[in-house]
Amino acid sequence: MSTTENIVQVETSDEETPLLKQQKPKGRTPLPKLQIGIVLLLQVCEPLCSQSIYPYINELVSTLDIVQGDEKKVGYYAGLIESLFFATEALTVLQWSRASDRIGRKPVLLLGLVGTILSILCFGLSRSFWTLVVSRCLCGLLNGNIGVMKSAMGELTDPTNRAEAFALLPVVWAAGASFGPLLGGYLARPADRFPQSVFAGQFWKDYPYFLPCLATASYTALTFVVTVIWLKESIPQKIKHSRKRVTSDASDITVTDRSPADADEDDNAPLPLRSVLTFPVVISILNYVTLAFLNISVNALLPLFFHMPVAMGGLDLDPVVIGYIMSLYGAGSGLFQIVLFSPLVRGYGVRKTFLLSVSTFVPVFMTFPLMSLVAKYYGVGWIVWSLLGMVLGLLFLMDTAYGCIFMFVTASAPNKRSLGATNGLSQTTVSAARAIGPALSTSLYSFSIEYNVLGGYGVYAVLATLSLGALLLAVQLPHKLWGEEDADEVGDSEGDDGALKN
C-alpha cells in the first residue's frame, strides 16, 4: 500500500472512530489524582452556586413587587429566574468549549470561575426582579466550565480508568447540591436568625440573602487560586500551539501534499462542527438532554412544592427545613453514587443502569399529588415524610444516570481534539433543556393551581408522560459504549491472525 493510501486510510477511520476506539490499553492506567481532584473541585462550583438559591428563591420572589402579593404567581417568576442561568449558558457554552480546544482548557476554566464569582455576588446584592435577572444572565454568559471540565476529564483518563473517574462526577455534583441548599437555607436572613452583635447592621436587613451568596463566592475564589497554582493544561502543547489551520473545506489541502506527520497532526485537529454530528454523538446528547430536563424539573418543583401552602398543593415548610431536605437529597445521592454506582455498572452494564435510573421519574412525579392529598386531609405527618423519603430514594438512584450518560457522550467523540466540541455541543443543548425545565415545571404548577387542572395536579401528569418518552429514547442506546464492540472485534481479529501465523 502506498504512502498516500495510508494517509487516506488514517483520515477516514479517524473521523468515524469514537474516542474510545482510538486507544484501548491492555492494563488499567492509574488516575492522575491531583489533576482529577482539581477538576472535581471545579465541578462543585456550579451546583454549589446554582442550587444555593433554592431554599429562599420562592420566599425572595414573594417579597418582590412584581407578584403583587399573589402567592399563585410565585412559580412563574421563580422558575424564570432559575431558568435564566441555563438559557444564557446555552448561548455561549459551545463557543467556550471550542475555544478551549484551541487555546487550552485552563484559561477558559479560570474565566468561568471569575464570571461565577461576580454574578453570585451581584445576585446577593439585588433588590428587584430585573437585577436578579441580569445577575443570573451574567453568570450563564460567562460560565462555560461545565463542558470544558468534562473535556479535561476525558483527556486525563483512558478507557481503562474512565468509568472510575466519571463515576466521581455525579458524586461531587451531589456534594455541591448538598452543601448549596444547606448554605442557602441556613445563612439566609442572618439578621433574623443570628446574634445581633454580629449582624446588627442595616446592610444585613437590606440584603438578607447576601450572606449565602458570599459563602459560595468565597469557595469559588478559593478554587480559582488552586486552579491557577496546580492545574496543568490537559491539551498537549505540541497540538495546542500547532500553526496548522483546520478549515471546514477539506479540498483546501490535497492528499499528495501531505506527509504522514501532517496526517497524524490532522488526526488530532478539531473537526468542523458538522463533522461532529455523528449518530453516536446525537443519540447520546439527546438522552443527556431528556435526563437533564426531567431532573431540573424535579429540582425546581421540590422547593416550590415545599414552600407553597397546603391548600395550594404544597407542604408550607420553612426555608431552613427546605434547605435541610435539599441538602439531604444531595448528600444521599453522593453517598449512593460512591457505594453503588460501580457495582451497578459492573453487574448490569452502562446501558441497563441508565435505563433503570431513567425509569424512576414516573413514580417520582406521581408521588407528588399523593403527598399533597395526604397533607390536605391528614396534615404533614409521618405518612408525608415517609412518601418524601421514598421520593428521595428514587432520586438517589436516578442520579446514577449521569455517570452513565457522561461515559456515552465521551465515548461518542469522533476524535480526541473534537472532545471539547462534543461536550460543548452536549452542554449547549442540555443548558437549553435546563432553561426550559424550571420555567415550564413551576409555571405548569402555578397554572394547574390557578385553573384547577386535574384538581391542581396537571403538572405531574404532563411530566410523567414526558418521562415515558425519555424511556423510549433511552432504549436506542447501544448495549456497549460506542467503539467497544468494534475494538473488541479488531482485537479478536488480530489474535486470530497471530495464531494463524504461528
Side-chain angles (χ1 to χ4, degrees):
M1 185 179 290
S2 65
T3 302
T4 301
E5 291 172 336
N6 278 322
I7 295 171
V8 173
Q9 186 178 25
V10 169
E11 285 184 331
T12 304
S13 63
D14 185 66
E15 289 187 358
E16 297 177 353
T17 302
L19 181 66
L20 198 65
K21 186 178 175 182
Q22 295 179 24
Q23 181 182 4
K24 193 175 179 67
K26 295 181 179 179
R28 181 181 171 280
T29 307
L31 288 173
K33 295 181 180 179
L34 176 61
Q35 298 303 303
I36 293 290
I38 296 174
V39 174
L40 296 179
L41 284 176
L42 290 163
Q43 173 81 359
V44 173
C45 292
E46 181 171 344
L48 188 71
C49 294
S50 64
Q51 300 203 30
S52 64
I53 72 172
Y54 281 147
Y56 61 80
I57 184 62
N58 296 291
E59 182 180 78
L60 171 60
V61 171
S62 66
T63 63
L64 301 177
D65 293 338
I66 197 167
V67 300
Q68 299 176 342
D70 188 354
E71 285 280 345
K72 295 179 181 178
K73 296 181 179 179
V74 170
Y76 295 115
Y77 296 105
L80 178 60
I81 292 172
E82 293 164 5
S83 295
L84 283 172
F85 167 81
F86 298 106
T88 51
E89 183 183 62
L91 299 176
T92 59
V93 67
L94 178 59
Q95 284 69 32
W96 286 123
S97 294
R98 289 182 67 81
S100 75
D101 280 338
R102 300 182 182 279
I103 67 175
R105 313 297 184 203
K106 187 172 180 177
V108 177
L109 289 171
L110 291 173
L111 183 59
L113 290 174
V114 172
T116 300
I117 294 169
L118 293 176
S119 60
I120 196 66
L121 290 176
C122 290
F123 189 88
L125 294 173
S126 299
R127 301 181 66 180
S128 69
F129 175 76
W130 293 111
T131 52
L132 292 173
V133 166
V134 171
S135 64
R136 292 298 281 175
C137 290
L138 178 65
C139 187
L141 289 171
L142 295 178
N143 183 24
N145 281 7
I146 192 68
V148 180
M149 282 184 286
K150 290 169 188 164
S151 299
M153 186 71 83
E155 290 160 344
L156 292 169
T157 59
D158 60 45
T160 67
N161 57 17
R162 188 161 291 139
E164 180 182 358
F166 274 77
L168 298 173
L169 290 179
V171 174
V172 296
W173 180 278
S178 174
F179 287 108
L182 186 63
L183 288 174
Y186 184 72
L187 299 180
R189 294 186 280 112
D192 298 334
R193 303 183 59 249
F194 297 125
Q196 292 295 316
S197 58
V198 181
F199 299 99
Q202 186 62 33
F203 175 85
W204 301 108
K205 296 179 180 179
D206 294 338
Y207 303 98
Y209 306 106
F210 179 73
L211 187 59
C213 295
L214 178 62
T216 53
S218 298
Y219 172 85
T220 307
L222 178 61
T223 304
F224 178 88
V225 174
V226 171
T227 303
V228 168
I229 298 174
W230 286 295
L231 182 66
K232 297 178 181 178
E233 180 56 62
S234 59
I235 297 179
Q237 294 296 310
K238 65 179 181 179
I239 297 175
K240 176 182 170 185
H241 296 298
S242 172
R243 294 183 180 181
K244 191 168 187 66
R245 185 178 183 84
V246 179
T247 65
S248 60
D249 187 0
S251 63
D252 290 346
I253 303 173
T254 60
V255 172
T256 56
D257 293 336
R258 298 166 65 195
S259 67
D262 293 331
D264 291 339
E265 185 177 297
D266 281 352
D267 287 345
N268 283 323
L271 293 175
L273 185 58
R274 66 172 178 267
S275 298
V276 176
L277 295 174
T278 61
F279 176 76
V281 171
V282 171
I283 194 65
S284 299
I285 290 177
L286 284 176
N287 275 278
Y288 187 14
V289 167
T290 56
L291 171 65
F293 170 80
L294 293 172
N295 184 207
I296 200 70
S297 297
V298 173
N299 288 347
L301 275 176
L302 279 172
L304 180 63
F305 177 74
F306 295 151
H307 167 79
M308 293 297 284
V310 173
M312 295 183 183
L315 298 182
D316 197 19
L317 301 179
D318 186 78
V320 177
V321 178
I322 296 174
Y324 288 150
I325 296 173
M326 298 299 290
S327 178
L328 176 62
Y329 168 29
S333 178
L335 182 62
F336 190 95
Q337 310 310 311
I338 292 173
V339 175
L340 293 176
F341 179 81
S342 293
L344 283 171
V345 171
R346 284 196 300 266
Y348 298 99
V350 181
R351 181 178 182 269
K352 287 184 178 179
T353 303
F354 183 76
L355 288 171
L356 178 64
S357 303
V358 173
S359 67
T360 60
F361 281 115
V362 173
V364 164
F365 286 123
M366 298 312 295
T367 306
F368 276 93
L370 183 58
M371 285 191 288
S372 174
L373 289 172
V374 172
K376 285 181 179 179
Y377 290 103
Y378 301 102
V380 182
W382 69 270
I383 300 178
V384 171
W385 292 111
S386 298
L387 291 171
L388 178 58
M390 184 187 72
V391 168
L392 293 179
L394 290 172
L395 291 176
F396 296 162
L397 176 58
M398 178 276 300
D399 276 343
T400 60
Y402 280 101
C404 298
I405 202 61
F406 292 159
M407 294 170 68
F408 273 111
V409 172
T410 299
S412 71
N415 68 13
K416 293 180 181 179
R417 289 306 309 280
S418 298
L419 185 57
T422 301
N423 279 307
L425 183 64
S426 71
Q427 203 57 45
T428 297
T429 51
V430 164
S431 294
R434 285 175 170 162
I436 297 170
L440 178 64
S441 60
T442 56
S443 296
L444 279 174
Y445 183 99
S446 293
F447 184 85
S448 299
I449 295 297
E450 189 171 359
Y451 295 98
N452 197 33
V453 179
L454 294 179
Y457 302 124
V459 55
Y460 306 116
V462 172
L463 292 174
T465 302
L466 293 176
S467 300
L468 292 174
L471 271 175
L472 295 177
L473 188 61
V475 299
Q476 305 303 315
L477 290 169
H479 290 277
K480 288 188 177 183
L481 292 178
W482 304 111
E484 275 192 342
E485 294 179 356
D486 293 338
D488 290 340
E489 291 174 3
V490 169
D492 293 341
S493 176
E494 290 176 352
D496 293 341
D497 290 343
L500 290 173
K501 290 177 182 178
N502 290 332

